[in-house]
Amino acid sequence: MAVTDEPLNMILSLLKDEKRLFYVISLIYIVWGIIIFLSLQFVTAPYGRYTSGSWGFGVNPKFAWVVQEMPSFLIPIYVLFYTDCPQIRSTPNLILVSLYLLHYFQRSFIFPFLIQGGKKTPVITFVMAVMFCGVNGYLQVGDLAKYEEYGLNWLSPRFCCGLILFFIGMFINIQSDGILRNLRKPGETGYKIPRGGMFDYVSGANFLGEIIEWSGFALAAWSLPSFVFAFFTSCNIGPRAIHHHRWYKKKFEDYPRDRKALIPFIL
């Protein structure tokens, strides 16, 4: 069988056409998200309370969080300062990029150092997170800083609603992380029922917050990469909220019966 250079040429051509590359990455994320969603109907992602030694050796949780989230902050910084980004001079693009960086600054440099204890992260989960965060940082900020154009009427009801949803989601996410972090007193181990905030309504309040946050971002950005990111986030952590809900109900006999898994009063 003759070997041709056609596959290599296709890859090189794709790398030269960055906008087309972003489109292809977005399609890959859609497929990857669907695969993850379907897989999580049968298995539980092996980190946190579900950590298992069968998934390989573990990484310190603080180290894992910093290193796996940091590419989502540092790669966009590189893109902004060392590549041509003509659209970053546009106000809506600058706002959206700033929101993205704000989230990942908090997740990379603040949240990990607030972690109290925590189980080690399996290396396979850690490596996959590093890969996703790196590529996604390049995709989201690269697209916004270089290609998305919003025109003079960018300050629309849709854009404003998206920003409001983003900050509501971010607040719920950070508040829920704080509630979980403060469940244990110094020296305590084990798990307790989280109460307060959106935990009064759902078991996965922190996951709900992040899904709302990136859905708001997608609504404001109105681009394929941002919608794909919101979709992938929902496929990845939505099932985890359901797993947590089942776990809580099994572990605690007095777990609130009217509390849902992810969507208040519904699911």
Side-chain angles (χ1 to χ4, degrees), residues 21-31 139 224-226 228:
L21 176 63
F22 288 164
Y23 178 76
V24 172
I25 293 174
S26 297
L27 295 184
I28 291 173
Y29 272 11
I30 291 174
V31 175
L139 173 65
L224 178 61
S226 64
V228 166

Side-chain angles (χ1 to χ4, degrees), residues 166-183:
F166 178 89
F167 283 111
I168 290 174
M170 189 175 198
F171 173 80
I172 293 172
N173 184 233
I174 293 175
Q175 180 194 51
S176 301
D177 284 340
I179 291 172
L180 291 173
R181 187 167 54 248
N182 293 318
L183 283 177

Side-chain angles (χ1 to χ4, degrees), residues 4-78:
T4 68
D5 293 331
E6 185 175 349
L8 178 59
N9 291 334
M10 290 177 61
I11 294 173
L12 293 175
S13 174
L14 187 61
L15 292 175
K16 292 179 181 178
D17 186 347
E18 191 176 45
K19 191 171 184 179
R20 184 178 168 214
L21 176 63
F22 288 164
Y23 178 76
V24 172
I25 293 174
S26 297
L27 295 184
I28 291 173
Y29 272 11
I30 291 174
V31 175
W32 189 8
I34 293 172
I35 291 172
I36 286 178
F37 178 81
L38 294 176
S39 300
L40 291 177
Q41 307 308 305
F42 306 98
V43 299
T44 304
Y47 63 94
R49 68 192 64 181
Y50 310 110
T51 299
S52 171
S54 61
W55 290 84
F57 70 88
V59 181
N60 177 277
K62 288 187 178 183
F63 176 84
W65 267 106
V66 171
V67 175
Q68 73 189 31
E69 301 289 312
M70 194 180 294
S72 281
F73 184 82
L74 295 183
I75 289 179
I77 293 297
Y78 175 84

Side-chain angles (χ1 to χ4, degrees), residues 14 24 63 78 85 123 139 143-144 156 174 197 214 239 244 266-267:
L14 187 61
V24 172
F63 176 84
Y78 175 84
C85 298
V123 66
L139 173 65
D143 179 66
L144 287 169
S156 63
I174 293 175
W214 293 121
H244 275 25
I266 300 176
L267 175 63

